[in-house]
Structure formats: structure tokens, C-alpha cells
Amino acid sequence: MSQRENVNPIREQNHRKNSRRYQKRAAARRRRNTIFIVEIVLLLILAVVLFFVSKLSKIEKTKLDMDKIEVNEDISQESQKIMMFGLDNRSNGNLSQGRSDVIMLANINNDTKEVKLVSVYRDTYLDTGDGIFQKCNAAYAKGGPEQAISMLNVNLDLNITDYVTVDFNSIIECVDLLGGVDMEITDDEASLMTGYIRELNELTGNKAENLTQGGTYTLNGVQACAYARIRYGGGDDYRRTERQRTVLTAMVKKAQQSDLTTVNKLINEVCGDIQTSFSNAELLALASQVFQYSIGDTTGFPFTKTTRVLSKKTGDVVIPCDLSDNVKELHIFLYEDSAYTASDTVKQNSEKIVSDTGFKSGDGH
């Protein structure tokens, strides 16, 4: 008789039943383990979201009155990728008022994660609202972010609908938390920084040292802010905005290389000095990709320009030569849109600037 025939049928049947029970129990355990792991992951995700929401709650949120914002409906959707960063010195303690010391446009390429920055010179002679042409930074003081955004949309053919305003002096604490930023300083810049360092030390209670000569330094917060504020004798507002972009770029790179403890401290410091129209959900979406972004090309606007004192009231202004040509170059820089043509509004504003100043296309540098 074969070995198979010697097997007890009842025992074999029981063995099969026990085996199926074991497999069912093992499968149940695996399902429970899987559910348990998924629950842990969900809890971790929830914890991270709550962490960031708690940070974002410190940011001052404002809802823009879109009825007060002018946009150019003829401009393509790509213009809506633009964001405006208006960094104010908070001299009046209110981020909704005051002349904007810094006006930056940022275009994020969602495919390459490259960010292009454009500084709009604050003294640029533009329509700030109601057909009043003056220094463009007056728009924020006259009507807050809505009027500042309208000023940019109308004069530059953009469709900006969101903004961020930051206390520029918060750069001091942020740079210090990052352990400083590396900068190459000229002899002239080192000399010009002295007065700003003294003023910032008095305002903040810091004791930053002056730089005795040019060279490559790791600047602390006060020194970096002083460097970014150099204007007279240091290339005027053109070079100043370039320095601002240089400091911002260095800060972003340093932050991306920092550990989570430093990033947490940085978030705590910055959030209280920000006002924005972005929702928490939109900010979280941006924050989730922040380490993938890189700052690419940066420049200033207008590209071709000159400066003149038009009157005692207007003061020394930056004159686009002419506005239409400069706006076309802006769209090529931001969007690589060589097919762009200026809107009727931009053409009319361009003609008004030529009439007021006497400077036309080809007159600037």
C-alpha cells in the first residue's frame, strides 16, 4: 500500500481546516497591521498639517476687494502666475498702509520650479490711480495692496490677484537665525554701510560691527539689511534693488540647506511680519514645494530709463523710455512671450509719460 493510502482521511481533513484557519488569521493580522500603518501615516500627515496651520495662523490674512482691483482681461492666463511681494518698512506699524520700500514681481515656473524676480523701482513714474502720475510706491500708501496691485496691472499689463507684504526689517532676525549670509562687498559699499549699521543698531538694540574694507564676508542680520538699503552713492535705487535680490537669493539658498529646527525658528520669526491674501490652503501648497524652488534670473524695471526731477511735487523720478517698449521686454523676460503687444492702456500711459517728461523711446540707458 502506498504512503498516500496510509494517511488518515479525517486527520488530513482537520489539517486542511486548521491550515485555512491559520491563513485567515494571518490575513486578518496583515489587514490589521496595514490599517494600523495607514492610521499612523494619516496621523503623521495630520500632525504636519496642524503644525503648519498653527504657524500660518500667525500670518495676517486679508481678503482683497476685487472690485477695487483693475486687471487686463485681454492678457493670457500665464500672467496669473505672477505674485507681488510688497515689502514695507512698517514705519507706521501697519502693513496695510505706507509707501512700499520694495516692490517685487515673482513668476514661478511650475514645470521647472524656477522663480524669476523683477524689482520695480519704487520711484518709477507711473499712473498710481485716477490718472495721477507720480512715484509708483505712492499707490500702496494711497489705497493699500488693492491700489498697488491695480497700479502694476494697469501699467505693466498684468493680472495679479494676490500679494504678500513683509516687514523688510524682519530680514535682520532671519539672517541671524540662518547663521548669516555670504556676500562680496566693495570698499565703497563697506563705507556706505556704516551709517545704516549705526541706525539699525539703534533701532534693534544690536551691536553689529562696521566693515572696514571690501571683501567677502558672512554678514549678520544688521549688516545684510544695511547692505540691502544702500542707495545714495552706491548706484542709487538700481543697484539697491539688485542688492535686495542678492540678499533674498542668498537667504533662500541658506534656508534650503538648513535643518528643521532652524526652519521652524525661521517660520516663527517671519510669520508674524507677513500680511497676505493667500489662504492657508494656498500657502500650504506653496510650502510643500518650497525646497524644490530655485531663484533664477533677476532684474529691475524699467529696463531702459532715465532720472529727472520733474517738479518739486514729483521729486526725482525714474522715467521709462518708453513704457510700451519696457513692458514688452518685461513680458519677454517673465514669460518668454515675444508675441506680446502692449494694450491700449499701456500705450496711452506711455504717451502720457512722454508728454509729461519729454523722454521717448531710445532716450534712456
Side-chain angles (χ1 to χ4, degrees), residues 110-176:
N110 290 319
D111 294 326
T112 65
K113 305 302 181 186
E114 181 185 64
V115 181
K116 289 184 177 181
L117 295 177
V118 179
S119 297
V120 179
Y121 303 127
R122 67 178 193 173
D123 292 343
T124 305
Y125 189 68
L126 296 173
D127 181 1
T128 60
D130 300 322
I132 299 174
F133 284 73
Q134 58 185 327
K135 295 180 180 182
C136 67
N137 70 336
Y140 203 101
K142 290 168 63 177
E146 285 92 350
Q147 190 153 340
I149 291 171
S150 291
M151 178 272 296
L152 293 168
N153 287 341
V154 167
N155 290 281
L156 308 184
D157 269 350
L158 299 174
N159 273 341
I160 302 170
T161 55
D162 284 295
Y163 80 102
V164 178
T165 297
V166 182
D167 174 5
F168 192 62
N169 284 330
S170 66
I171 194 174
I172 295 174
E173 186 67 22
C174 291
V175 170
D176 286 338

Side-chain angles (χ1 to χ4, degrees), residues 177-178 251 253-263 266 291:
L177 287 171
L178 290 169
M251 289 176 65
K253 288 181 178 178
K254 195 74 175 284
Q256 289 175 330
Q257 298 167 0
S258 299
D259 56 36
L260 290 177
T261 300
T262 301
V263 172
L266 200 62
F291 288 99

Side-chain angles (χ1 to χ4, degrees), residues 51-334:
F51 170 79
F52 278 104
V53 169
S54 69
K55 303 296 182 184
L56 297 177
S57 65
K58 299 179 180 179
I59 296 174
E60 183 182 343
K61 308 293 195 313
T62 60
K63 188 172 182 179
L64 291 170
D65 186 347
M66 298 309 295
D67 292 335
K68 295 181 179 179
I69 295 179
E70 295 187 50
V71 295
N72 189 333
E73 300 293 347
D74 296 328
I75 300 302
S76 64
Q77 286 294 105
E78 65 179 356
S79 292
Q80 294 182 1
K81 294 178 183 177
I82 264 286
M83 294 187 296
M84 184 195 79
F85 296 82
L87 300 113
D88 187 81
N89 62 9
R90 295 193 77 181
S91 58
N92 58 8
N94 187 343
L95 285 171
S96 296
Q97 299 176 357
R99 287 180 179 256
S100 47
D101 274 357
V102 182
I103 302 172
M104 280 192 191
L105 305 172
N107 184 48
I108 300 174
N109 185 316
N110 290 319
D111 294 326
T112 65
K113 305 302 181 186
E114 181 185 64
V115 181
K116 289 184 177 181
L117 295 177
V118 179
S119 297
V120 179
Y121 303 127
R122 67 178 193 173
D123 292 343
T124 305
Y125 189 68
L126 296 173
D127 181 1
T128 60
D130 300 322
I132 299 174
F133 284 73
Q134 58 185 327
K135 295 180 180 182
C136 67
N137 70 336
Y140 203 101
K142 290 168 63 177
E146 285 92 350
Q147 190 153 340
I149 291 171
S150 291
M151 178 272 296
L152 293 168
N153 287 341
V154 167
N155 290 281
L156 308 184
D157 269 350
L158 299 174
N159 273 341
I160 302 170
T161 55
D162 284 295
Y163 80 102
V164 178
T165 297
V166 182
D167 174 5
F168 192 62
N169 284 330
S170 66
I171 194 174
I172 295 174
E173 186 67 22
C174 291
V175 170
D176 286 338
L177 287 171
L178 290 169
V181 289
D182 295 334
M183 293 286 160
E184 186 175 346
I185 310 296
T186 66
D187 288 337
D188 285 342
E189 288 170 336
S191 176
L192 291 165
M193 286 169 62
T194 301
Y196 293 106
I197 290 174
R198 181 174 60 252
E199 177 187 2
L200 290 169
N201 279 339
E202 292 173 355
L203 289 172
T204 63
N206 282 285
K207 296 181 180 179
E209 296 180 353
N210 294 322
L211 305 182
T212 58
Q213 60 183 15
T216 300
Y217 296 91
T218 299
L219 302 183
N220 61 32
V222 167
Q223 293 167 337
C225 192
Y227 171 76
R229 291 180 63 184
I230 296 172
R231 184 179 183 186
Y232 298 107
D236 295 328
D237 204 31
Y238 311 144
R239 284 284 291 121
R240 183 175 71 156
T241 57
E242 183 179 336
R243 293 185 190 97
Q244 290 166 354
R245 297 192 302 274
T246 300
V247 170
L248 180 60
T249 300
M251 289 176 65
V252 169
K253 288 181 178 178
K254 195 74 175 284
Q256 289 175 330
Q257 298 167 0
S258 299
D259 56 36
L260 290 177
T261 300
T262 301
V263 172
N264 182 36
K265 291 179 180 177
L266 200 62
I267 292 172
N268 283 335
E269 176 59 31
V270 172
C271 284
D273 294 321
I274 294 177
Q275 182 188 85
T276 183
S277 60
F278 286 110
S279 66
N280 279 352
E282 289 168 325
L283 290 172
L284 281 170
L286 289 170
S288 67
Q289 303 182 63
V290 69
F291 288 99
Q292 301 176 40
Y293 297 143
S294 63
I295 296 182
D297 295 334
T298 72
T299 190
F301 181 91
F303 301 89
T304 306
K305 59 204 174 292
T306 190
T307 56
R308 285 293 185 279
V309 177
L310 297 181
S311 68
K312 186 176 181 180
K313 184 177 180 180
T314 62
D316 194 3
V317 296
V318 176
I319 303 167
C321 301
D322 66 3
L323 182 61
S324 293
D325 288 348
N326 276 284
V327 173
K328 180 176 179 60
E329 192 169 349
L330 175 68
H331 281 249
I332 292 173
F333 176 82
L334 286 175

